Amino acid sequence: MSTAPACSLMNQGTTKTYELPVEHLDYSFVEKCTDVKYLEKILIVLRSGEEGLYPDLISFCEKKIEKLDPKNRILRTNNPPATAASFTKEEWQEITSDIKSWTDEMKQKENEAKYRKPEVECLDSENHAPIRGANASVLSHQNGFDKKKSTDRKRVIPRDYREWDKFDVEKECAKIDEGKQKISSNTISNDGISGIGKGIDTTGMTDQEKMVLADREKDKGNEAFRAGDHKEAVLYYTRSISVIPNVTAFNNRAQAEIKLQNWKKALNDVEKVLELEPGNLKAHLRRATVHKHSANYQAATDDLKRVLQAEPDNPIAKNLLQEVEQKLKDSQPIGKMKKKGKRMLIKEIEGSDDEKEGTFTNENKDSSKPVGGRTSKAKAAMGNSQKKCSHKRESQTNEKNRAKGKDTGGAAAQKNTKKDSDGNSTALKETEPSKYGHETKGGNVENVTIPMASKSQDPPRIDSSQMFPPGSSSETEKGKNNTWALPPAVAKLKSEGNKLFKNGQFGDAVIKYTKAITELIESGVDCPAELSILHSNQAACYLKDGNCTECIKDCTRALELQPFSVKPLLRRAMAYEALERYRQAYVDYKTVLQVDSRIQLANDSVNRITKTLIEEDGTKWREKVSPIPVVPFSAQLHRWEKDPISSAGNETQTTKENQYTSPDHGKNAEDNFISLKQEGNSFVKKTQYKEAIAKYSECLKLKSNECTVYTNRAFCFLKLNQYKEAEEDCNSALQLEPTNVKAFYRRALAYKGLKCYTSSIEDLNKLLKLDSNVAEAQKELLEVSELLKQEGKETSNHEKVRKDILIQEDSDEEEENATVTASGQETPTDPKALQVDSAGSEDPSTRRGAFGNSNPPPEKGSNLKPTNAYEFGQALSLLRAKKDIRACAELLKNVEPKDLPSMMSNKLEGDVFTMIIQALKGHLLEKDPNLVYQHLVHLCKTERFKMVSVLVGKEREQVQQLFSCLLQTKSDDFTSEDVQNLAKNYDI
Amino acid sequence: MSSALEKPQIVSHIQKSLNYTLFDCKWIPCSAKFVCMGNFARGTGVLQIYEVSHGELVLLKEIEKSKPFKCGTFGATSLQQRHLSTGDFDGNLHIWNLEAPDMPVYSVKAHKEIINSIDGVGGLGIGEGAPEVVTGSRDGMVKVWDPRQKDTPVANMQPADGDSRRDCWTVAFGHAYSSQERCVCAGYDNGDIKLFDLRTMSLRWEKNIRNGVCCVEFDRKDINMNKLVATSLEGKFHVFDMRTQHPTKGFAAVSEKVYKSTIWQGRHLPQNRDIFMTAGGAGSLHLWKYEYPAQRSKKDSENTDMGVAGTVTLLQNVTVSTQPIGSLDWSPDKQGLCVCTAFDQTVRVLIATKLNRV
């Protein structure tokens, strides 16, 4: 230890090799130094021994470097190969015995192979690819290492004649295309997996060869997986499976699919693994991951528990379970679990690298809770929800009786069951939306339902179900296990089927269900709901097995029994989609959305299919889709019961509404209609026009005579540039309300979009006639006329202009909605206000409503005492719409003639003018000619009078008549000269 | 020592001194046997088949031929036949049925001078398409042979007239992921690496690594070319990421300097393409692991894709001999088992442990 410092003190100076100061070869310096490069130099000097040998200092220096940079090259030493001494006894034994057993195994295999040999050899040559063409040569030009030249010297060798015989034109074309692509992209990427076949031809191979091959393909998959090429990995696993279906390849493919977020495929693979090898922990873990990501938390928990039972210390499972349970908790009160656990995904990646070690454990029997417990919970929850909506239900009894087949409750229950069914594995399930928080107790296939039909027929049963104590927090109807309503044999078969389904034995489940169906029919029990469920379940099995046609049949049967139940509809839609019968699938999905618009799966699928159909059929794809059946309101109703938060408010409103509207059906429709419309409006606010359109369309299904909805929907179509639809909507709106300003404006925009400029101008003119104050319309008019002029010359400009306008319109619309909501908040208790609220826009009918509100009997103009221009305008436009001349006369009576110009402000228009003249002439002239004269005097002082009087054409006769009458009447207040002078103002 | 034991260890399982110079050794597929190739002091060639049996090497067969064997491969044969293709000092390519080695099943005077390197593809279930053998020779030619076609090669890569002929030291097949695609990579004594595309019959890429290229090998022959290891005379090796070929920059590469001595061989583990062993100068073996970067390609300033090289980590290194290790072969059937020959006329069977845990 002490020699080194002493030495360095003696030899002051520098070392030979690197000229380091000799003092630096010192413990304290090495200790302090953090410069790895410098330390390297010190070490080299020390190792060289030129300054003397200091083994301690060398090792000290080495340790220091290792601390700073553990992978430093200088630390690499010449190690002798490991021997028995470097291992523990057990390890060494393992290594040697491993080799021994391997050698023995190989010998045995080789001996076996010898016997088989002759028969195989003959197959050899035919399997191989043809011999490459003639002696083709490529110059490797070794001297010139010039890259620019190198491309010039590449050349392609002409083909051999023999090869032409095998010439595949299409392939060659594809090759040429490929080549072109490569040239255009410059960079050549070799990561395309296009050339690799999905299967391998294994004809003529021995089992041994197949095994080797399968193993090799799997290894390739593993490597690709490790390199992050998950797609390539999937491909190689698929190849491996095509040679010999093996557990590891399935399991690993599942993992790769998880990485690619192909939950469905992953699930299929995992199920396959569990089929081949029940209890495979990795498969369970992966299935848990898949379930978690498809928001099937209960199933995930079951899987994780099973893993933890076998391996209580499995950290991945623990973490995952924690997360899932957290989600489960979160999801229950809120009822939404849209969040996707990205973080967990990453964790899973970390833990999954040890792909190949198949951990095989014996099958653990199902750890999930007994079915009974679950059922009782479900019942309790059911009771709770029943109570919640019971009063509402009761009020609907009449209606229910009316709608026998299309039974609300049945559909509702069906739908609920859909949510909590298929605990483990349905394809349906995993892609299902995560919106409903109550999937938690799922795990049974449709252990369902007391259909509402039977409920109303059988009042005591309802009562009993309502008497269940309120359940914890589940806000929706849980599926009730009403197997007791079935003949015991059928019930048993069904539950067996459910169990089999849950275990993924779909084929067996089908058999059970079929038996159950036949037994049920034979038993003569009339229970269409139950039968429908059985069919639906059977359909689920078929769907899982990929037997789409059977699935469709069953769904259709189920739907015949229970129209508009969501599950069979969804399944049928999926089956159709799988069969690429997109139109049918579209119709089914659409129907599902009508029943429950919040089913994300259906929404997504509709979007997807729409795209496909547009690709297939172009813009007119809609024409080829058969009409979507209108779902009766009764089938939709339960949707509102489902959403406790939004419906809480609605319900109170609804009950109040009840007192005002007499027929039950109408009331419900109204309620529904309002909410739908509000939803639509809010979607507009969020600029989600497609969704808004869906809502509005539903509105219209409930009530097709609501003008505002048409105009609103037209607005959305405009936003989406679907001018044709917009135009149609405006037409409908105008049919209902010929003076709707908005409809005119939007139709004008639609025409503009369709480049029918003349029609557009026409509409705008009409609109300005109705309401000259619409600035946008004036602007639009200018632009459209401009466009009309330029038409054919500048189309790009047109595009730009249209955009501008749309933005303006947007703000307009938003204001509208804002005011709507505001007014809704102000008078929440007033049912009329609510109704107005729902009308949702400022069109005349709304104005009437608002006006009528402040003056109780709104229809009677006699009571109208407008105090300001706005009220007057409102009243006037309302009267104009109704062409109620008498009321108009009343109104005029109430207005001081001298206030008329201010009241009228700039709202004077042709038909208003005509109406006033008619009112004056028809109703006031006889009673109060003086008032008429005064009004006429002041009318000509109003703004826009000049313009309007010019526009008034044939109505001029009426004015003339009025004046002639006025001349004939004698009054103290005005002379005939006065009248004549006035008549001049009216161009008479 | 516990941390050291976590790493893979290289165990010298068996070593056996022989009485001839060893040039190459190859495992016989689906067996615990391997072939050693070399030349006797008297100038004749020798093939010896050994079997690993209970910690010993048992000589099963010895075949003596007139010319010394330089290299051999099983790459172009079926698993049933397991014929060995060899290249000898005289430029002959032979294919032997080891069961009946009196006459070669295929024989051709392939090159004018010694065949330095040989590789096969399309056999053993490795690589789609026709079984083919490629030979590289001192005469500067690289030739591709189909055992079904006598006398003439199916492809020939040669320098243009007037160019000086460089000694081709190494050849390797790769990119044989479909029946059409196939590439040959060749390394020359002047440091050139050339990649020939056999589908388009063109030179696809070339690169000079400044030192004689002793060995090139694709990490796998039967996939879309992924990585290429090239070892050089002056103790450096390069790992090219072959997935993305930039129009001017070519393939991205990482290089590592091992020792001052030549790296004679680089061989990928058949069971894991990201692990490879380099065998070099002073009888040392290095076991490496290639680690991929987060993104294997990126955009350059002109928005064209270019590859990104990963890193190599040394897993283990041992020195088993004082003489260079001339050849190394991993067992295709047993992970971690390998055989190597050194110029000290010794053949060694080594076991690399814990390869499945890296």
Side-chain angles (χ1 to χ4, degrees):
Chain A
M1 284 281 282
S2 61
T3 47
C7 187
S8 66
L9 281 173
M10 286 192 291
N11 304 325
Q12 295 293 335
T14 56
T15 60
K16 278 180 222 156
T17 12
Y18 290 109
E19 305 203 331
L20 311 172
V22 174
E23 308 91 82
H24 287 175
L25 307 180
D26 179 50
Y27 284 102
S28 53
F29 180 81
V30 169
E31 175 82 78
K32 276 181 224 151
C33 182
T34 52
D35 181 357
V36 179
K37 292 271 175 220
Y38 198 78
L39 282 172
E40 278 174 29
K41 283 180 187 169
I42 292 174
L43 187 62
I44 289 166
V45 170
L46 285 171
R47 277 181 180 168
S48 70
E50 62 191 34
E51 298 297 326
L53 278 173
Y54 311 105
D56 272 350
L57 187 55
I58 290 173
S59 67
F60 182 74
C61 190
E62 278 172 354
K63 269 179 198 158
K64 176 74 186 171
I65 293 174
E66 197 182 351
K67 218 157 112 192
L68 294 169
D69 181 12
K71 285 182 180 172
N72 198 302
R73 277 180 210 165
I74 202 157
L75 296 174
R76 289 175 194 163
T77 48
N78 286 340
N79 305 330
T83 57
S86 9
F87 296 93
T88 62
K89 208 175 173 185
E90 290 79 36
E91 279 177 317
W92 182 248
Q93 215 153 28
E94 201 186 308
I95 293 164
T96 47
S97 66
D98 188 34
I99 288 294
K100 234 175 240 169
S101 64
W102 174 74
T103 50
D104 292 346
E105 194 189 328
M106 289 320 276
K107 257 186 223 170
Q108 204 185 340
K109 270 189 189 169
E110 232 180 337
N111 287 336
E112 284 170 18
K114 266 181 197 165
Y115 295 112
R116 277 197 303 265
K117 224 173 170 183
E119 50 175 337
V120 187
E121 254 170 300
C122 56
L123 284 164
D124 183 47
S125 56
E126 3 183 309
N127 285 339
H128 283 302
I131 301 173
R132 200 173 290 278
N135 184 358
S137 62
V138 183
L139 299 183
S140 61
H141 55 88
Q142 293 173 344
N143 271 348
F145 193 68
D146 187 346
K147 272 170 195 160
K148 277 173 198 165
K149 277 184 189 171
S150 73
T151 46
D152 300 336
R153 271 186 256 179
K154 285 177 194 174
R155 62 191 169 110
V156 178
I157 304 307
R159 280 168 190 281
D160 180 33
Y161 287 121
R162 275 168 297 171
E163 223 179 318
W164 286 108
D165 295 339
K166 293 155 196 156
F167 190 78
D168 182 346
V169 180
E170 282 185 9
K171 254 187 209 165
E172 292 304 310
C173 289
K175 270 189 210 169
I176 289 163
D177 287 349
E178 215 175 280
K180 272 182 192 161
Q181 278 170 8
K182 276 186 182 169
I183 289 161
S184 62
S185 68
N186 277 331
T187 300
I188 303 166
S189 295
N190 292 320
D191 47 9
I193 49 173
S194 52
I196 311 170
K198 279 198 172 170
I200 299 172
D201 184 24
T202 52
T203 44
M205 283 193 186
T206 60
D207 287 349
Q208 192 193 357
E209 278 178 301
K210 276 188 194 170
M211 254 164 44
V212 170
L213 197 60
D215 224 40
R216 186 174 293 126
E217 295 298 314
K218 191 200 71 205
D219 283 350
K220 284 194 219 169
N222 288 345
E223 288 165 350
F225 184 87
R226 274 190 289 258
D229 296 329
H230 297 139
K231 272 187 191 154
E232 198 180 321
V234 168
L235 185 81
Y236 280 120
Y237 290 136
T238 312
R239 280 164 70 93
S240 173
I241 290 164
S242 84
V243 178
I244 300 174
N246 57 86
V247 173
T248 335
F250 273 120
N251 216 346
N252 291 359
R253 190 168 71 177
Q255 182 63 11
E257 296 283 13
I258 286 174
K259 291 290 158 59
L260 290 168
Q261 311 213 347
N262 287 340
W263 309 121
K264 202 169 179 172
K265 286 183 186 163
L267 190 70
N268 284 343
D269 283 339
V270 178
E271 307 261 295
K272 198 83 194 174
V273 173
L274 290 174
E275 197 176 290
L276 294 168
E277 191 183 295
N280 186 313
L281 288 188
K282 270 191 187 168
H284 275 297
L285 204 55
R286 276 163 201 170
R287 191 164 73 179
T289 317
V290 173
H291 281 319
K292 183 173 149 276
H293 285 279
S294 20
N296 195 350
Y297 298 124
Q298 185 58 45
T301 326
D302 287 350
D303 273 327
L304 289 171
K305 278 186 181 151
R306 186 180 276 218
V307 173
L308 287 175
Q309 215 172 38
E311 271 181 38
D313 295 325
N314 190 321
I316 303 165
K318 270 185 185 170
N319 285 338
L320 205 58
L321 186 63
Q322 219 172 355
E323 290 226 358
V324 170
E325 277 176 347
Q326 187 58 42
K327 292 241 171 175
L328 213 54
K329 253 187 239 164
D330 289 349
S331 63
Q332 270 175 336
I334 304 160
K336 279 184 183 174
M337 4 178 180
K338 269 197 161 174
K339 273 183 247 162
K340 291 234 170 179
K342 280 270 180 211
R343 202 162 65 87
M344 222 19 245
L345 187 67
I346 292 156
K347 275 190 188 169
E348 176 63 8
I349 292 167
E350 284 165 15
S352 63
D353 269 4
D354 49 340
E355 294 285 318
K356 281 183 287 175
E357 310 158 34
T359 28
F360 304 131
T361 47
N362 289 331
E363 182 181 3
N364 302 306
K365 265 298 146 196
D366 194 355
S367 64
S368 57
K369 286 172 267 171
V371 181
R374 220 178 281 159
T375 314
S376 68
K377 268 186 196 168
K379 275 185 184 169
M382 148 76 194
N384 188 26
S385 65
Q386 279 276 317
K387 274 196 177 168
K388 265 194 182 171
C389 15
S390 58
H391 68 275
K392 198 172 168 186
R393 290 257 172 79
E394 275 152 18
S395 68
Q396 295 160 7
T397 325
N398 289 340
E399 180 218 314
K400 248 180 253 152
N401 287 342
R402 229 179 293 140
K404 263 183 190 169
K406 302 163 185 180
D407 164 65
T408 17
Q414 287 245 336
K415 192 171 163 318
N416 290 335
T417 18
K418 177 174 135 351
K419 295 301 163 202
D420 61 10
S421 69
D422 323 341
N424 272 335
S425 54
T426 347
L428 252 177
K429 194 74 215 172
E430 98 202 45
T431 44
E432 229 152 60
S434 44
K435 288 200 169 174
Y436 296 96
H438 61 281
E439 290 176 349
T440 51
K441 272 140 201 148
N444 290 350
V445 188
E446 292 191 12
N447 42 356
V448 210
T449 353
I450 301 178
M452 275 311 169
S454 64
K455 199 176 148 188
S456 47
Q457 286 154 14
D458 188 9
R461 203 184 289 170
I462 311 175
D463 290 345
S464 68
S465 70
Q466 281 180 345
M467 276 189 290
F468 281 117
S472 52
S473 64
S474 176
E475 59 280 342
T476 50
E477 262 185 295
K478 291 294 292 182
K480 321 166 239 175
N481 196 342
N482 81 326
T483 35
W484 43 268
L486 291 168
V490 179
K492 193 174 166 239
L493 280 169
K494 186 179 158 194
S495 67
E496 278 171 5
N498 290 353
K499 209 169 182 183
L500 286 168
F501 183 87
K502 197 180 149 194
N503 291 336
Q505 293 158 286
F506 306 118
D508 301 335
V510 166
I511 296 166
K512 292 286 174 198
Y513 286 134
T514 319
K515 262 190 196 167
I517 289 167
T518 42
E519 288 233 359
L520 189 62
I521 293 167
E522 278 168 14
S523 69
V525 177
D526 183 26
C527 194
E530 202 56 51
L531 205 55
S532 161
I533 288 155
L534 285 170
H535 275 294
S536 172
N537 285 2
Q538 201 177 333
C541 299
Y542 281 130
L543 187 63
K544 290 292 287 181
D545 270 353
N547 191 344
C548 294
T549 38
E550 282 300 319
C551 171
I552 290 167
K553 268 186 209 162
D554 263 314
C555 290
T556 315
R557 179 88 189 99
L559 287 168
E560 277 165 15
L561 294 160
Q562 289 280 309
F564 303 113
S565 37
V566 175
K567 275 190 108 149
L569 271 173
L570 262 180
R571 282 176 189 150
R572 195 169 66 178
M574 281 166 148
Y576 275 133
E577 200 182 345
L579 291 173
E580 300 189 353
R581 288 156 74 176
Y582 294 117
R583 287 180 197 92
Q584 284 95 327
Y586 179 82
V587 170
D588 274 345
Y589 278 128
K590 273 290 192 189
T591 321
V592 169
L593 282 179
Q594 282 185 51
V595 178
D596 189 333
S597 59
R598 291 177 303 181
I599 295 177
Q600 195 60 39
L601 167 71
N603 271 320
D604 294 346
S605 305
V606 164
N607 290 340
R608 191 173 55 235
I609 292 174
T610 311
K611 265 182 220 157
T612 328
L613 285 175
I614 289 173
E615 269 171 32
E616 261 180 38
D617 301 340
T619 45
K620 291 186 175 174
W621 63 275
R622 257 176 223 279
E623 291 165 17
K624 294 192 181 176
V625 176
S626 53
I628 294 149
V630 176
V631 174
F633 171 68
S634 54
Q636 300 175 9
L637 182 73
H638 59 272
R639 172 180 40 202
W640 306 107
E641 294 162 11
K642 282 216 127 169
D643 190 345
I645 299 160
S646 70
S647 71
N650 276 352
E651 240 166 45
T652 48
Q653 287 167 357
T654 320
T655 39
K656 285 197 176 156
E657 195 85 20
N658 289 351
Q659 296 150 16
Y660 290 91
T661 35
S662 43
D664 271 349
H665 183 86
K667 168 218 55 170
N668 287 317
E670 189 80 6
D671 182 23
N672 220 344
F673 178 80
I674 289 163
S675 332
L676 274 172
K677 195 164 164 189
Q678 275 168 352
E679 275 178 34
N681 287 349
S682 61
F683 274 126
V684 172
K685 260 188 234 174
K686 290 182 225 152
T687 68
Q688 294 167 307
Y689 297 111
K690 271 195 183 142
E691 289 84 336
I693 288 172
K695 292 285 168 205
Y696 288 138
S697 308
E698 282 175 52
C699 278
L700 290 172
K701 264 165 211 144
L702 295 179
K703 219 171 156 187
S704 58
N705 56 354
E706 193 63 49
C707 181
T708 43
V709 180
Y710 278 118
T711 53
N712 286 1
R713 194 169 70 172
F715 172 73
C716 299
F717 279 127
L718 279 177
K719 285 286 174 198
L720 297 171
N721 291 353
Q722 296 175 317
Y723 298 114
K724 199 79 200 151
E725 287 88 335
E727 191 212 334
E728 273 161 24
D729 270 352
C730 290
N731 285 342
S732 322
L734 287 170
Q735 260 172 21
L736 293 167
E737 207 176 311
T739 54
N740 189 314
V741 183
K742 277 202 184 300
F744 272 124
Y745 180 66
R746 282 172 193 160
R747 194 165 70 177
L749 286 179
Y751 278 134
K752 194 178 153 198
L754 293 165
K755 299 193 177 170
C756 303
Y757 296 123
T758 36
S759 317
S760 178
I761 288 173
E762 239 173 69
D763 272 349
L764 287 168
N765 279 331
K766 276 183 205 159
L767 165 101
L768 286 171
K769 239 193 226 170
L770 291 171
D771 188 348
S772 58
N773 200 25
V774 186
E776 291 97 337
Q778 283 164 353
K779 219 170 173 182
E780 191 70 32
L781 184 59
L782 281 174
E783 267 155 7
V784 176
S785 18
E786 192 71 20
L787 279 171
L788 190 60
K789 277 183 210 160
Q790 292 176 359
E791 198 186 357
K793 286 182 199 168
E794 267 184 73
T795 38
S796 60
N797 185 30
H798 155 73
E799 192 67 21
K800 201 179 137 202
V801 169
R802 186 173 51 72
K803 253 191 185 163
D804 277 357
I805 296 307
L806 279 176
I807 290 159
Q808 278 180 353
E809 173 63 4
D810 186 21
S811 62
D812 181 44
E813 182 70 25
E814 270 175 35
E815 260 172 62
E816 258 178 52
N817 288 316
T819 49
V820 166
T821 37
S823 68
Q825 281 163 357
E826 275 163 24
T827 53
T829 47
D830 189 335
K832 285 293 169 194
L834 187 71
Q835 200 175 6
V836 172
D837 205 11
S838 72
S841 82
E842 259 185 284
D843 60 57
S845 70
T846 325
R847 288 188 200 133
R848 173 195 61 187
F851 191 67
N853 234 352
S854 52
N855 298 282
E859 276 76 29
K860 284 277 173 179
S862 58
N863 289 325
L864 302 177
K865 281 179 187 157
T867 52
N868 55 36
Y870 176 71
E871 285 179 10
F872 182 81
Q874 294 271 300
L876 202 62
S877 60
L878 170 65
L879 297 175
R880 183 184 62 192
K882 297 176 68 183
K883 298 215 158 53
D884 191 347
I885 292 158
R886 181 185 288 274
C888 179
E890 292 291 305
L891 181 69
L892 288 171
K893 227 165 145 184
N894 290 332
V895 177
E896 277 288 300
K898 67 172 166 30
D899 292 338
L900 195 62
S902 63
M903 286 282 199
M904 197 67 87
S905 94
N906 57 359
K907 296 282 193 301
L908 187 65
E909 280 157 41
D911 50 355
V912 174
F913 178 79
T914 319
M915 189 170 69
I916 290 172
I917 296 295
Q918 279 171 349
L920 290 175
K921 190 178 131 215
H923 300 280
L924 292 176
L925 193 62
E926 285 167 33
K927 290 176 202 164
D928 194 352
N930 189 30
L931 186 68
V932 173
Y933 173 76
Q934 289 298 330
H935 270 308
L936 285 171
V937 168
H938 286 100
L939 188 62
C940 68
K941 285 176 190 163
T942 53
E943 254 180 84
R944 286 173 49 82
F945 169 77
K946 276 265 152 57
M947 197 182 138
V948 171
S949 67
V950 171
L951 286 172
V952 171
K954 61 174 185 180
E955 284 86 3
R956 181 147 305 157
E957 290 168 22
Q958 292 190 349
V959 184
Q960 248 163 353
Q961 279 169 17
L962 178 65
F963 272 98
S964 55
C965 291
L966 209 55
L967 274 173
Q968 280 156 23
T969 45
K970 300 250 167 82
S971 169
D972 312 330
D973 298 312
F974 58 94
T975 62
S976 59
E977 284 85 39
D978 288 336
V979 176
Q980 272 164 355
N981 283 340
L982 187 62
K984 273 178 198 162
N985 281 340
Y986 285 84
D987 288 335
I988 292 160
Chain B
M1 280 305 278
S2 66
S3 72
L5 284 178
E6 291 302 302
K7 295 200 293 183
Q9 297 290 323
I10 298 170
V11 182
S12 174
H13 183 53
I14 312 164
Q15 48 181 323
K16 189 176 177 78
S17 280
L18 304 171
N19 59 347
Y20 59 94
T21 309
L22 285 151
F23 289 116
D24 205 356
C25 57
K26 284 281 183 290
W27 286 98
I28 300 174
C30 290
S31 76
K33 297 181 278 193
F34 61 87
V35 187
C36 289
M37 288 153 269
N39 78 320
F40 282 125
R42 54 182 173 268
T44 54
V46 59
L47 290 175
Q48 280 188 327
I49 301 170
Y50 285 97
E51 181 163 32
V52 180
S53 179
H54 304 283
E56 305 237 329
L57 287 183
V58 180
L59 178 65
L60 296 180
K61 197 170 273 185
E62 184 177 304
I63 304 153
E64 194 175 348
K65 295 288 164 190
S66 59
K67 296 291 172 201
F69 294 106
K70 178 64 174 67
C71 49
T73 181
F74 285 100
T77 183
S78 72
L79 275 178
Q80 289 98 27
Q81 291 175 324
R82 294 186 290 183
H83 291 169
L84 176 69
S85 313
T86 58
D88 68 19
F89 273 47
D90 217 22
N92 293 307
L93 167 67
H94 295 296
I95 300 180
W96 306 97
N97 179 358
L98 295 175
E99 311 269 314
D102 294 339
M103 287 294 289
V105 292
Y106 181 90
S107 174
V108 68
K109 171 81 178 164
H111 294 273
K112 285 175 208 146
E113 287 175 83
I114 179 176
I115 296 176
N116 283 319
S117 179
I118 192 168
D119 195 17
V121 76
L124 311 175
I126 298 176
E128 307 249 332
E132 281 175 341
V133 175
V134 62
T135 53
S137 157
R138 186 176 287 162
D139 65 5
M141 311 269 244
V142 176
K143 291 179 180 174
V144 181
W145 308 86
D146 191 311
R148 297 167 296 175
Q149 179 174 306
K150 299 278 175 209
D151 303 330
T152 51
V154 291
N156 186 4
M157 277 72 79
Q158 60 191 0
D161 293 334
D163 285 351
S164 71
R165 296 172 178 258
R166 304 309 309 223
D167 192 346
C168 176
W169 279 354
T170 176
V171 287
F173 271 120
H175 203 48
Y177 69 91
S178 74
S179 48
Q180 290 101 35
E181 293 286 348
R182 192 165 290 184
C183 280
V184 167
C185 190
Y188 298 86
D189 66 341
N190 62 347
D192 277 355
I193 300 172
K194 292 174 192 290
L195 182 68
F196 303 101
D197 190 327
L198 291 183
R199 181 172 67 79
T200 59
M201 291 307 284
S202 61
L203 177 71
R204 182 158 169 184
W205 169 72
E206 59 182 335
K207 165 103 185 152
N208 189 286
I209 58 168
R210 289 206 285 281
N211 275 309
V213 186
C214 298
C215 175
V216 289
E217 195 189 47
F218 286 99
D219 59 351
R220 266 183 188 280
K221 293 171 187 172
D222 53 348
I223 56 169
N224 234 311
M225 53 182 167
N226 184 50
K227 285 190 335 277
L228 178 80
V229 164
T231 67
S232 78
L233 206 57
E234 295 294 323
K236 247 189 176 183
F237 70 86
H238 303 255
V239 185
F240 296 93
D241 185 314
M242 304 298 277
R243 277 293 156 96
T244 319
Q245 184 178 3
H246 188 271
T248 54
K249 289 175 188 138
F251 300 106
V254 60
S255 65
E256 180 84 9
K257 171 101 174 155
V258 184
Y259 274 114
K260 281 171 190 159
S261 48
T262 305
I263 307 179
W264 286 78
Q265 287 272 307
R267 288 281 178 252
H268 289 88
L269 187 66
Q271 292 83 5
N272 185 346
R273 68 182 186 192
D274 300 325
I275 294 173
F276 60 97
M277 183 103 91
T278 54
S284 60
L285 293 166
H286 288 70
L287 188 64
W288 304 90
K289 184 179 190 221
Y290 182 84
E291 268 148 17
Y292 294 97
Q295 286 290 324
R296 290 185 70 180
S297 72
K298 63 177 182 194
K299 301 275 185 200
D300 67 358
S301 53
E302 282 144 18
N303 209 30
T304 28
D305 279 315
M306 59 186 284
V308 180
T311 53
V312 283
T313 327
L314 180 68
L315 295 175
Q316 187 57 272
N317 68 315
V318 292
T319 306
V320 293
S321 163
T322 53
Q323 296 299 308
I325 295 170
S327 72
L328 176 88
D329 193 38
W330 289 103
S331 165
D333 303 299
K334 176 75 187 163
Q335 177 168 288
L337 188 66
C338 72
V339 60
C340 66
T341 63
F343 292 128
D344 58 2
Q345 300 200 339
T346 308
V347 60
R348 292 176 176 83
V349 177
L350 307 170
I351 302 168
T353 64
K354 299 191 177 82
L355 288 177
N356 53 353
R357 267 172 253 180
V358 292

